[in-house]
Amino acid sequence: MTTPTTAPRIAEVSRNTAETKITVKVNLDGTGQAKLSTGIGFFDHMLDQIARHGLIDLDIHAEGDLHIDGHHTVEDVGITLGQAVAQAIGDKKGLRRYGHAYVPLDEALSRVVVDFSGRPGLDMHVPFKSGMIGTFDSQLAYEFFQGFVNHAFVTLHIDNLKGENAHHQAETVFKAFARALRMALEIDPRAAGVIPSTKGTL
């Protein structure tokens, strides 16, 4: 159970480029409320999973060059969300740091493990059975998570262990990611005020 910290773990980050205009607001100690507008319906659905199952309040508004494709929008949302999470966490004192989750959906099963290590790293194995899920290119799941890890400074392992339906594969990945985040972001009452590393810094 998350205990209150001395300061609210909230952040707002904007990213404006020639390709996208994005604003992300996060509350890491929220109730899973989400306001999402990226222009890509299935992507909004996946971001909603992060909020709902991670108990993170998310407000994400993105305007991107969707007349080209969804690549820049999805990648830049990952980058901006990573920046917002890193900012909201602060010095990581009392953080559980590690999180993991297995999530099934019918025939699909995914495992996600995260470490708020301060070192960006992504290892992702998801053999999507379809290239498109609605208007969402399944290849962009990797780009989203790569953007996130590079700017949240986490190590992230994602494995889809089983799955025949691409929608199910993606949903189990995003739900497991949310659950792993929820675990890692909790404040450990037994380690209050302590950086969770023998190095004394993360």
Side-chain angles (χ1 to χ4, degrees):
M1 180 177 177
T2 300
T3 57
T5 56
T6 54
R9 298 192 299 172
I10 59 176
E12 180 176 349
V13 175
S14 293
R15 175 182 172 85
N16 296 312
T17 73
E19 298 166 339
T20 61
K21 290 180 174 58
I22 296 168
T23 299
V24 172
K25 301 176 186 177
V26 300
N27 178 359
L28 302 185
D29 302 301
T31 58
Q33 301 301 306
K35 295 179 182 177
L36 307 165
S37 177
T38 67
I40 306 171
F42 185 76
F43 187 40
D44 285 350
H45 182 45
M46 293 301 97
L47 293 171
D48 195 26
Q49 305 306 320
I50 295 175
R52 187 71 54 87
H53 294 280
L55 291 182
I56 298 169
D57 291 346
L58 281 183
D59 188 338
I60 299 177
H61 180 77
E63 297 178 17
D65 51 3
L66 297 181
H67 61 286
I68 298 175
D69 66 9
H71 190 287
H72 299 140
T73 298
V74 173
E75 180 181 26
D76 287 3
V77 167
I79 289 170
T80 313
L81 178 60
Q83 291 172 332
V85 169
Q87 182 176 314
I89 287 173
D91 61 14
K92 301 182 185 177
K93 287 182 179 178
L95 202 68
R96 288 198 187 278
R97 174 178 168 177
Y98 300 101
H100 62 272
Y102 286 82
V103 169
L105 174 57
D106 296 342
E107 87 298 342
L109 174 66
S110 293
R111 175 185 62 215
V112 174
V113 184
V114 65
D115 174 13
F116 278 83
S117 60
R119 298 184 303 278
L122 175 63
D123 189 83
M124 180 172 171
H125 299 280
V126 183
F128 282 111
K129 299 297 183 178
S130 175
M132 298 298 293
I133 311 169
T135 59
F136 180 80
D137 183 346
S138 60
Q139 293 183 95
L140 297 184
Y142 181 91
E143 303 303 327
F144 168 78
F145 288 115
Q146 186 69 75
F148 179 84
V149 302
N150 284 346
H151 294 271
F153 305 105
V154 302
T155 300
L156 184 63
H157 288 257
I158 299 173
D159 292 281
N160 172 240
L161 306 175
K162 297 179 181 180
E164 296 300 325
N165 179 288
H167 185 131
H168 294 172
Q169 289 176 291
E171 192 160 330
T172 57
V173 163
F174 276 84
K175 285 179 176 177
F177 173 65
R179 286 280 172 168
L181 278 185
R182 178 175 167 181
M183 180 186 294
L185 290 171
E186 282 184 340
I187 299 301
D188 186 348
R190 296 179 61 197
V194 177
I195 299 289
S197 172
T198 55
K199 292 189 290 292
T201 185
L202 284 172

